[in-house]
Amino acid sequence: MASDAASAAPAPEARIVHHVFFWLKRPGSTADRDQLVAGLRALAKIPVIRSVQIGVPASTEQREVVDASFDVSELMVFDNVADQKVYQDHPIHQDFIAKCGHLWRKVIVYDMLTI
């Protein structure tokens, strides 16, 4: 029987999943939301990104464990930690922060290693 540590070890094809949640300074502003989404879409041009999904809260059942308080979210997948660092430092990402950073009041990032 595999130990808990072995069962939680990264798989050989492990990826980095980068999930970011944004809360806008002006939550009701469609223009701000659209500008942020356009900025996020531009990030897809960074070559190390394997996949990207951009979205807004879904109209799913309200339950105690569901947090739909964010305005926009993006989910990206990278091959490894080094590629995620390339993304962080990439000029397109830095340009996104410079052009869109004024739109959000809060950002939370969840980075996960797939197992």
Side-chain angles (χ1 to χ4, degrees):
M1 186 168 177
S3 71
D4 287 342
S7 64
E13 67 280 352
R15 309 268 187 193
I16 299 296
V17 177
H18 178 70
H19 204 168
V20 184
F21 296 85
F22 298 89
W23 285 261
L24 295 172
K25 286 182 182 174
R26 300 184 316 160
S29 171
T30 303
D32 287 3
R33 185 198 65 213
D34 292 349
Q35 183 181 350
L36 178 57
V37 168
L40 290 168
R41 286 188 175 137
L43 295 174
K45 296 175 186 166
I46 300 173
V48 295
I49 297 172
R50 293 296 162 242
S51 68
V52 62
Q53 298 290 321
I54 300 164
V56 295
S59 298
T60 54
E61 178 184 358
Q62 292 184 355
R63 299 179 299 136
E64 190 174 304
V65 296
V66 175
D67 180 355
S69 66
F70 65 96
D71 295 293
V72 178
S73 177
E74 61 94 343
L75 184 139
M76 294 179 177
V77 177
F78 302 93
D79 285 341
N80 51 53
V81 172
D83 284 354
Q84 199 271 347
K85 176 63 172 152
V86 168
Y87 158 78
Q88 290 297 328
D89 297 336
H90 197 282
I92 293 173
H93 182 243
Q94 295 303 311
D95 187 57
F96 162 74
I97 294 168
K99 289 182 177 174
C100 294
H102 70 282
L103 298 170
W104 60 74
R105 67 173 175 81
K106 176 181 173 182
V107 176
I108 293 183
V109 176
Y110 294 97
D111 286 333
M112 175 185 77
L113 178 66
T114 63
I115 55 173

